[in-house]
């Protein structure tokens, strides 16, 4: 999980399961769809999904 919707931003934590509540989404300058996690307050993108 990142602090901003960019792969170069600081990593603020790691997720250990698959289901999270999302409250925002955006597309970065690199063209990746990022999702803001409502409770954790960080950003992830679909490329990080496992399984």
């Amino acid at each position: 999980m990142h602090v901003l919707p960019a792969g170069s931003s600081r990593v603020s934590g790691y997720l250990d399961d698959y289901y999270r509540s999302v409250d925002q989404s955006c597309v970065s300058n690199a063209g990746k769809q990022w999702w803001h996690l409502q409770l954790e307050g960080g950003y992830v993108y679909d490329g990080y999904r496992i399984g």
Side-chain angles (χ1 to χ4, degrees):
M1 179 170 66
H2 294 258
V3 295
L4 297 170
S8 61
S9 67
R10 184 174 62 82
V11 173
S12 60
Y14 297 89
L15 306 179
D16 57 2
D17 60 20
Y18 300 107
Y19 299 100
R20 302 288 171 153
S21 180
V22 170
D23 63 354
Q24 299 173 36
S25 71
C26 64
V27 176
S28 70
N29 289 339
K32 293 190 185 321
Q33 179 78 43
W34 285 81
W35 307 95
H36 183 262
L37 304 180
Q38 185 174 20
L39 297 177
E40 292 81 2
Y43 293 86
V44 294
Y45 72 92
D46 278 349
Y48 288 165
R49 264 198 297 207
I50 300 171

XYZ file of all heavy atoms in Angstrom:
408
model
N 0.848 -1.162 0.000
C 0.000 0.000 0.000
C 0.898 1.231 0.000
O 1.889 1.278 0.724
C -0.886 -0.072 1.238
C -1.816 1.058 1.442
S -3.004 0.692 2.765
C -1.935 0.602 4.188
N 0.562 2.226 -0.844
C 1.373 3.433 -0.984
C 0.659 4.643 -0.389
O -0.562 4.652 -0.262
C 1.652 3.702 -2.465
C 2.512 2.669 -3.104
N 3.849 2.860 -3.351
C 2.237 1.412 -3.545
C 4.360 1.782 -3.923
N 3.401 0.888 -4.050
N 1.424 5.676 -0.055
C 0.833 6.889 0.511
C 0.206 7.785 -0.563
O -0.657 8.596 -0.256
C 1.861 7.698 1.338
C 2.312 6.913 2.547
C 3.061 8.104 0.505
N 0.631 7.628 -1.827
C 0.085 8.380 -2.952
C -0.169 7.428 -4.115
O 0.418 6.347 -4.159
C 1.079 9.469 -3.403
C 1.397 10.560 -2.386
C 2.575 11.405 -2.879
C 0.189 11.436 -2.145
N -1.018 7.794 -5.078
C -1.287 6.921 -6.217
C -0.162 6.947 -7.247
O -0.340 7.372 -8.380
C -2.603 7.457 -6.781
C -2.599 8.898 -6.419
C -1.898 8.985 -5.101
N 1.020 6.506 -6.827
C 2.185 6.434 -7.713
C 3.124 5.354 -7.195
O 3.354 5.261 -5.991
C 2.908 7.771 -7.751
N 3.641 4.541 -8.098
C 4.517 3.447 -7.698
C 5.789 3.894 -7.019
O 6.392 3.143 -6.264
N 6.203 5.142 -7.258
C 7.435 5.643 -6.656
C 7.203 6.227 -5.260
O 8.151 6.592 -4.580
C 8.067 6.710 -7.549
O 7.174 7.800 -7.699
N 5.943 6.338 -4.834
C 5.674 6.916 -3.511
C 5.997 5.913 -2.402
O 6.094 4.710 -2.634
C 4.218 7.366 -3.413
O 3.346 6.265 -3.441
N 6.151 6.419 -1.202
C 6.545 5.601 -0.054
C 5.512 4.504 0.234
O 4.313 4.735 0.164
C 6.694 6.504 1.170
C 7.193 5.801 2.413
C 7.457 6.795 3.533
N 6.282 7.528 3.967
C 5.365 7.057 4.823
N 5.486 5.849 5.324
N 4.339 7.793 5.159
N 5.995 3.317 0.535
C 5.124 2.207 0.926
C 4.779 2.386 2.397
O 5.662 2.548 3.236
C 5.817 0.849 0.691
C 4.986 -0.291 1.257
C 6.072 0.641 -0.793
N 3.479 2.365 2.707
C 3.051 2.609 4.083
C 2.575 1.357 4.787
O 2.291 1.386 5.980
C 1.937 3.658 4.106
O 0.821 3.217 3.365
N 2.453 0.243 4.080
C 2.000 -0.984 4.718
C 1.762 -2.072 3.695
O 1.846 -1.845 2.488
N 1.460 -3.256 4.195
C 1.217 -4.419 3.351
C -0.126 -5.030 3.716
O -0.508 -5.029 4.891
C 2.333 -5.452 3.529
C 3.677 -4.934 3.091
C 4.503 -4.263 3.976
C 4.093 -5.074 1.774
C 5.729 -3.763 3.567
C 5.321 -4.571 1.355
C 6.126 -3.922 2.257
O 7.326 -3.419 1.847
N -0.827 -5.533 2.726
C -2.141 -6.129 2.958
C -2.013 -7.636 3.034
O -1.260 -8.235 2.279
C -3.096 -5.737 1.823
C -3.208 -4.231 1.569
C -4.154 -3.978 0.404
C -3.676 -3.506 2.804
N -2.787 -8.242 3.928
C -2.686 -9.684 4.114
C -3.953 -10.437 3.733
O -4.073 -11.619 3.987
C -2.298 -10.006 5.559
C -3.286 -9.424 6.567
O -4.283 -8.816 6.149
O -3.035 -9.587 7.775
N -4.929 -9.760 3.141
C -6.114 -10.445 2.629
C -6.616 -9.723 1.382
O -6.001 -8.770 0.931
C -7.196 -10.587 3.702
C -7.664 -9.236 4.246
O -7.465 -8.206 3.578
O -8.234 -9.224 5.336
N -7.730 -10.171 0.830
C -8.149 -9.695 -0.493
C -9.280 -8.687 -0.496
O -9.521 -8.053 -1.495
C -8.571 -10.885 -1.352
C -7.460 -11.884 -1.539
C -7.495 -13.100 -0.880
C -6.377 -11.600 -2.347
C -6.475 -14.022 -1.038
C -5.361 -12.516 -2.511
C -5.412 -13.728 -1.863
O -4.400 -14.625 -2.024
N -10.010 -8.534 0.587
C -11.213 -7.710 0.544
C -11.032 -6.445 1.369
O -10.797 -6.511 2.566
C -12.414 -8.503 1.068
C -12.663 -9.729 0.228
C -12.230 -10.979 0.648
C -13.300 -9.629 -1.010
C -12.426 -12.102 -0.138
C -13.498 -10.744 -1.797
C -13.064 -11.974 -1.355
O -13.256 -13.080 -2.122
N -11.122 -5.306 0.698
C -10.978 -4.004 1.348
C -12.043 -3.062 0.825
O -12.489 -3.176 -0.313
C -9.608 -3.386 1.053
C -8.440 -4.225 1.469
C -8.275 -4.257 2.972
N -7.278 -5.239 3.349
C -6.556 -5.164 4.443
N -6.720 -4.191 5.278
N -5.671 -6.097 4.715
N -12.457 -2.101 1.646
C -13.430 -1.102 1.234
C -12.718 0.041 0.510
O -11.769 0.619 1.034
C -14.161 -0.577 2.476
O -15.109 0.379 2.103
N -13.180 0.349 -0.705
C -12.585 1.393 -1.538
C -13.525 2.590 -1.577
O -14.720 2.434 -1.756
C -12.346 0.854 -2.971
C -11.969 1.969 -3.926
C -11.295 -0.238 -2.949
N -12.975 3.800 -1.387
C -13.833 4.986 -1.441
C -13.476 5.953 -2.570
O -14.221 6.886 -2.837
C -13.851 5.709 -0.095
C -12.492 6.246 0.333
O -11.492 5.970 -0.359
O -12.435 6.927 1.368
N -12.336 5.732 -3.258
C -11.947 6.591 -4.374
C -11.119 5.787 -5.363
O -10.537 4.775 -5.000
C -11.077 7.762 -3.888
C -11.714 8.689 -2.909
C -10.712 9.695 -2.385
O -9.834 10.152 -3.103
N -10.831 10.039 -1.109
N -11.073 6.265 -6.595
C -10.163 5.674 -7.575
C -9.665 6.769 -8.505
O -10.291 7.816 -8.640
C -10.851 4.568 -8.377
O -11.800 5.108 -9.266
N -8.514 6.526 -9.116
C -7.965 7.486 -10.071
C -6.994 6.753 -10.988
O -6.602 5.623 -10.722
C -7.263 8.637 -9.366
S -5.822 8.148 -8.409
N -6.616 7.420 -12.078
C -5.639 6.866 -13.007
C -4.380 7.730 -12.915
O -4.456 8.956 -13.037
C -6.187 6.848 -14.442
C -5.124 6.361 -15.421
C -7.431 5.978 -14.521
N -3.248 7.088 -12.682
C -1.986 7.823 -12.543
C -1.467 8.282 -13.897
O -1.968 7.875 -14.953
C -0.934 6.938 -11.864
O -0.537 5.905 -12.742
N -0.431 9.109 -13.871
C 0.202 9.562 -15.111
C 0.763 8.397 -15.912
O 0.911 8.482 -17.127
C 1.322 10.552 -14.802
C 0.792 11.883 -14.309
O -0.355 12.224 -14.534
N 1.625 12.626 -13.599
N 1.086 7.298 -15.233
C 1.604 6.100 -15.901
C 0.483 5.239 -16.480
O 0.750 4.214 -17.089
C 2.436 5.277 -14.920
N -0.771 5.648 -16.280
C -1.905 4.926 -16.842
C -2.426 3.778 -15.999
O -3.236 2.988 -16.463
N -1.997 3.679 -14.735
C -2.465 2.609 -13.860
C -3.692 3.073 -13.069
O -3.754 4.204 -12.600
C -1.371 2.193 -12.876
C -0.183 1.538 -13.536
C 0.732 0.943 -12.493
C 2.020 0.374 -13.023
N 1.962 -0.336 -14.253
N -4.661 2.176 -12.923
C -5.850 2.454 -12.108
C -5.493 2.216 -10.647
O -5.108 1.114 -10.274
C -6.998 1.529 -12.518
C -8.262 1.730 -11.714
C -9.049 2.944 -12.159
O -9.208 3.173 -13.340
N -9.531 3.713 -11.214
N -5.601 3.253 -9.830
C -5.306 3.156 -8.398
C -6.590 3.245 -7.602
O -7.545 3.912 -7.997
C -4.372 4.293 -7.972
C -2.960 4.091 -8.404
C -2.430 4.342 -9.642
C -1.892 3.585 -7.616
N -1.100 4.030 -9.668
C -0.746 3.560 -8.437
C -1.777 3.151 -6.305
C 0.492 3.120 -7.968
C -0.547 2.718 -5.853
C 0.574 2.704 -6.682
N -6.598 2.578 -6.453
C -7.762 2.542 -5.567
C -7.340 3.042 -4.193
O -6.313 2.642 -3.657
C -8.281 1.109 -5.461
C -8.534 0.491 -6.793
C -7.675 -0.294 -7.503
C -9.696 0.637 -7.599
N -8.250 -0.647 -8.706
C -9.488 -0.095 -8.784
C -10.903 1.314 -7.426
C -10.438 -0.175 -9.791
C -11.848 1.238 -8.435
C -11.612 0.500 -9.597
N -8.141 3.927 -3.617
C -7.880 4.426 -2.262
C -8.679 3.573 -1.277
O -9.885 3.411 -1.414
C -8.292 5.891 -2.141
C -7.989 6.470 -0.804
N -8.936 6.587 0.184
C -6.826 6.947 -0.285
C -8.372 7.125 1.267
N -7.091 7.350 0.997
N -7.996 3.023 -0.285
C -8.641 2.166 0.703
C -9.220 3.021 1.825
O -8.510 3.795 2.458
C -7.632 1.164 1.265
C -6.935 0.308 0.207
C -5.953 -0.643 0.866
C -7.942 -0.452 -0.627
N -10.512 2.865 2.038
C -11.237 3.731 2.961
C -10.695 3.661 4.391
O -10.445 4.691 5.011
C -12.714 3.351 2.957
C -13.585 4.263 3.777
C -15.047 3.936 3.614
O -15.412 2.836 3.207
N -15.903 4.870 3.920
N -10.496 2.488 4.932
C -10.076 2.365 6.325
C -8.572 2.544 6.510
O -8.124 3.178 7.463
C -10.505 1.008 6.895
C -12.009 0.771 6.946
C -12.311 -0.637 7.458
C -12.696 1.811 7.828
N -7.786 2.007 5.587
C -6.335 2.069 5.725
C -5.764 3.413 5.297
O -4.692 3.802 5.725
C -5.681 0.956 4.901
C -5.946 -0.435 5.440
C -7.309 -0.989 5.033
O -8.054 -0.311 4.293
O -7.633 -2.102 5.462
N -6.446 4.120 4.396
C -6.008 5.432 3.966
C -4.851 5.423 2.977
O -4.238 6.439 2.727
N -4.534 4.276 2.394
C -3.459 4.188 1.416
C -3.988 3.829 0.043
O -5.191 3.664 -0.154
N -3.074 3.719 -0.931
C -3.436 3.423 -2.316
C -2.817 2.111 -2.784
O -1.686 1.795 -2.437
C -2.936 4.538 -3.239
C -3.617 5.864 -3.026
C -3.167 6.758 -2.060
C -4.714 6.229 -3.793
C -3.779 7.980 -1.869
C -5.339 7.461 -3.613
C -4.869 8.319 -2.651
O -5.489 9.535 -2.463
N -3.573 1.378 -3.590
C -3.081 0.161 -4.228
C -3.550 0.174 -5.673
O -4.439 0.924 -6.042
C -3.609 -1.115 -3.523
C -3.046 -1.231 -2.123
C -5.124 -1.148 -3.508
N -2.934 -0.658 -6.507
C -3.458 -0.814 -7.863
C -3.590 -2.290 -8.207
O -3.045 -3.141 -7.514
C -2.653 -0.042 -8.899
C -1.275 -0.559 -9.256
C -1.113 -1.431 -10.322
C -0.151 -0.167 -8.556
C 0.151 -1.890 -10.675
C 1.098 -0.608 -8.903
C 1.248 -1.479 -9.961
O 2.492 -1.945 -10.319
N -4.382 -2.574 -9.258
C -4.729 -3.954 -9.587
C -3.524 -4.836 -9.824
O -3.578 -6.023 -9.615
C -5.638 -3.996 -10.817
C -7.097 -3.742 -10.456
O -7.414 -3.753 -9.253
O -7.906 -3.542 -11.368
N -2.387 -4.277 -10.267
C -1.206 -5.058 -10.513
C -0.652 -5.735 -9.271
O 0.174 -6.631 -9.362
N -1.095 -5.297 -8.093
C -0.622 -5.876 -6.829
C -1.457 -7.070 -6.383
O -1.141 -7.702 -5.406
C -0.642 -4.838 -5.721
C 0.421 -3.786 -5.832
C 0.352 -2.614 -5.095
C 1.531 -3.952 -6.664
C 1.330 -1.635 -5.192
C 2.501 -2.986 -6.767
C 2.401 -1.832 -6.021
O 3.367 -0.877 -6.119
N -2.552 -7.348 -7.077
C -3.422 -8.443 -6.642
C -2.740 -9.781 -6.756
O -2.043 -10.056 -7.734
C -4.703 -8.467 -7.485
C -5.832 -7.747 -6.830
C -7.120 -8.153 -7.447
N -7.178 -7.774 -8.849
C -8.299 -7.526 -9.490
N -9.435 -7.604 -8.872
N -8.264 -7.206 -10.749
N -2.959 -10.618 -5.769
C -2.433 -11.980 -5.793
C -3.623 -12.915 -5.990
O -4.567 -12.893 -5.218
C -1.729 -12.316 -4.459
C -0.571 -11.351 -4.218
C -1.250 -13.759 -4.446
C 0.045 -11.464 -2.842
N -3.560 -13.740 -7.029
C -4.636 -14.695 -7.282
C -5.805 -14.114 -8.032
O -5.935 -12.970 -8.301
